[in-house]
Amino acid sequence: MVSLTGWWQRRSGPARIELYTRSTFHFLALAEMAILGASLASGVAGPWLGLLALVAVHAALCAVLQARGLDWLLGRRERPVGLLTAVATLSVGGAATALALRSDSSFLSGVDVSVLVVGLFTFGLGAMALAVRGTRPRLYSVLGAAVGMAAVCALLGLPGPTVAGFAAAVLVTSGVMVLTSGCAVWLLDVVRELDTARELQSQLAVAEERLRFGRDLHDVMGRNLAVIALKSELAVQLARRGRPEAVEQMIEVQRIARESQHEVREVVRGYRKADLAVELAGALSVLHAAGIDGTAEGDDGSALPSEVQSALGWVVREATTNVLRHSEARSCTIRLSTGASAVLSVDNDGVPEAAAGGTSGAGLNGLRERLAALGGTLDTESRAGAFRLTATVPLPRPEVSAPVAQQSGLVV
């Protein structure tokens, strides 16, 4: 059981929908054999076996056409024109043969030919719908099948009401089958497009972080590097002239270089100062854009110290990126509570089983380092496809002044 569920859990959302769609189409081949085979169950041995063999070949060709037609619609192979022609020919030919044998009761005594004839057209068109792209061509194929059915019946000399009945039956049943096949393909296309958009969203989030980092790094280093270059050039010229001021300039270069090193370290550590409120709003915006139900609960963090806000803002940023890149979440909840400690938790569902145990990584290790500098901790918990990340930062106790302490009856 675990291996079966793991096999399913390891598949992405689009892969699951595709597997379900293919299984449904293959089930139609079995349904065709069951329904049309039952209609031949009471026939005479010779014609019954021949028509049953025709139904079996027709069902097998339809199953292969559905599989290859779906691959064609997904852009994985060429259009199966040969199979499309074979299924169309066998559907029309088989229906015409059954109608021709219908006139001789000694051949098909007790056989419900109408079910066989309509079924061949219905299941055949359902398979051919996957080898045709667009709503209009599929609609025209249904109308063409109804007209073709009427023409075949008329050529065999069947009475007018019978011709109209067969044509109407083919029109209705084939229309329903083609509509069902088209909707299944449409659903698969929508899921694939949403997955592509979600992947692009995560890539855009990463690109935005890179742009922000590049902008901050340029702002920090641009001026300092220019000053270092100018002062170094001045120091070289003074040294060549034997002027003692060269030492002063190199000391200044050393000071600026150390300041630049400190500022770069600050940029790398926290992208300067992260505003918790801004990061929460940005996280909810990105989650909603990715189709995830994102909510923020509890305190807004505006009263927290700036260093705590910066650390928790980075937690929100990293956790949101992980939700976008490493899960198939439908909902994500961010909670912040304050007391003796500031506790920020991020809960999301849709975590694949293969990734559920991932509690380490460059991003999470970086968060632990940032929180450890403030005496905080980072915990992760995964269970039943859900993942929780909890960051805890102790808050400094407010200092109680002497007058306030005396008013409250405390001995100082």
Side-chain angles (χ1 to χ4, degrees):
M1 178 62 70
V2 175
S3 61
L4 290 177
T5 56
W7 169 79
W8 176 259
Q9 291 293 334
R10 284 191 296 270
R11 291 179 175 269
S12 64
R16 295 176 187 175
I17 296 297
E18 181 179 346
L19 178 61
Y20 168 77
T21 304
R22 289 183 183 275
S23 301
T24 303
F25 286 139
H26 291 323
F27 173 78
L28 290 179
L30 299 177
E32 179 180 358
M33 283 293 301
I35 295 174
L36 302 189
S39 68
L40 298 172
S42 58
V44 182
W48 180 82
L49 291 177
L51 290 176
L52 184 61
L54 184 146
V55 169
V57 173
H58 185 269
L61 287 178
C62 287
V64 177
L65 178 59
Q66 287 164 344
R68 296 189 178 181
L70 191 59
D71 287 339
W72 170 66
L73 291 175
L74 297 177
R76 298 174 183 170
R77 65 165 65 233
E78 297 293 330
R79 185 182 183 187
V81 179
L83 274 173
L84 178 63
T85 304
V87 171
T89 302
L90 191 60
S91 299
V92 176
T97 301
L99 285 174
L101 294 175
R102 176 177 179 267
S103 59
D104 192 340
S105 58
S106 62
F107 279 104
L108 295 178
S109 176
V111 174
D112 191 353
V113 176
S114 60
V115 174
L116 177 62
V117 171
V118 175
L120 288 174
F121 269 91
T122 299
F123 288 104
L125 280 174
M128 288 186 287
L130 298 182
V132 178
R133 197 187 303 273
T135 303
R136 287 188 177 182
R138 291 169 182 163
L139 176 61
Y140 293 154
S141 66
V142 173
L143 295 177
V147 173
M149 183 76 258
V152 170
C153 293
L155 289 176
L156 293 175
L158 298 180
T162 303
V163 173
F166 273 114
V170 168
L171 181 65
V172 174
T173 58
S174 299
V176 172
M177 182 65 74
V178 170
L179 178 63
T180 302
S181 299
C183 288
V185 174
W186 171 79
L187 175 62
L188 182 58
D189 287 339
V190 169
V191 172
R192 284 166 55 86
E193 290 177 1
L194 288 176
D195 186 70
T196 301
R198 184 176 183 174
E199 181 65 24
L200 290 176
Q201 183 68 40
S202 65
Q203 294 176 4
L204 288 175
V206 173
E208 182 180 356
E209 293 300 319
R210 289 176 177 173
L211 290 174
R212 181 189 300 186
F213 179 80
R215 182 179 63 248
D216 289 352
L217 189 62
H218 177 271
D219 293 342
V220 168
M221 294 299 297
R223 182 185 64 86
N224 291 350
L225 289 176
V227 174
I228 288 174
L230 290 174
K231 287 188 172 293
S232 299
E233 183 179 357
L234 178 59
V236 170
Q237 294 177 1
L238 292 174
R240 286 176 178 174
R241 298 174 186 176
R243 301 284 297 274
E245 291 87 348
V247 177
E248 302 276 340
Q249 295 298 326
M250 290 308 299
I251 293 175
E252 185 69 10
V253 167
Q254 186 181 33
R255 183 188 65 80
I256 296 174
R258 287 177 177 174
E259 288 182 358
S260 300
Q261 184 181 21
H262 175 74
E263 290 177 351
V264 169
R265 189 178 294 113
E266 289 298 320
V267 170
V268 173
R269 181 182 296 122
Y271 288 3
R272 289 186 173 175
K273 293 298 183 181
D275 190 307
L276 180 56
V278 173
E279 292 299 332
L280 285 172
L284 295 180
S285 176
V286 170
L287 291 173
H288 292 160
I292 301 173
D293 183 17
T295 56
E297 300 177 358
D299 199 346
D300 60 358
S302 59
L304 296 176
S306 59
E307 62 272 14
V308 176
Q309 286 198 45
S310 180
L312 294 182
W314 179 246
V315 172
V316 171
R317 187 187 304 167
E318 179 68 18
T320 304
T321 303
N322 288 340
V323 170
L324 292 172
R325 297 185 63 182
H326 304 304
S327 74
E328 300 171 9
R330 295 180 299 274
S331 64
C332 179
T333 303
I334 304 173
R335 298 184 182 87
L336 176 62
S337 60
T338 57
S341 301
V343 180
L344 175 71
S345 64
V346 182
D347 298 84
N348 67 279
D349 58 3
V351 179
E353 182 178 354
T359 59
S360 63
L364 295 182
N365 290 336
L367 290 180
R368 290 188 175 95
E369 293 175 1
R370 298 175 194 278
L371 295 174
L374 300 175
T377 59
L378 181 71
D379 299 316
T380 58
E381 178 185 2
S382 57
R383 181 176 55 187
F387 187 85
R388 169 176 291 182
L389 183 146
T390 305
T392 305
V393 181
L395 298 178
R397 293 184 178 181
E399 296 182 1
V400 182
S401 62
V404 174
Q406 292 173 0
Q407 291 175 9
S408 59
L410 297 176
V411 179
V412 182

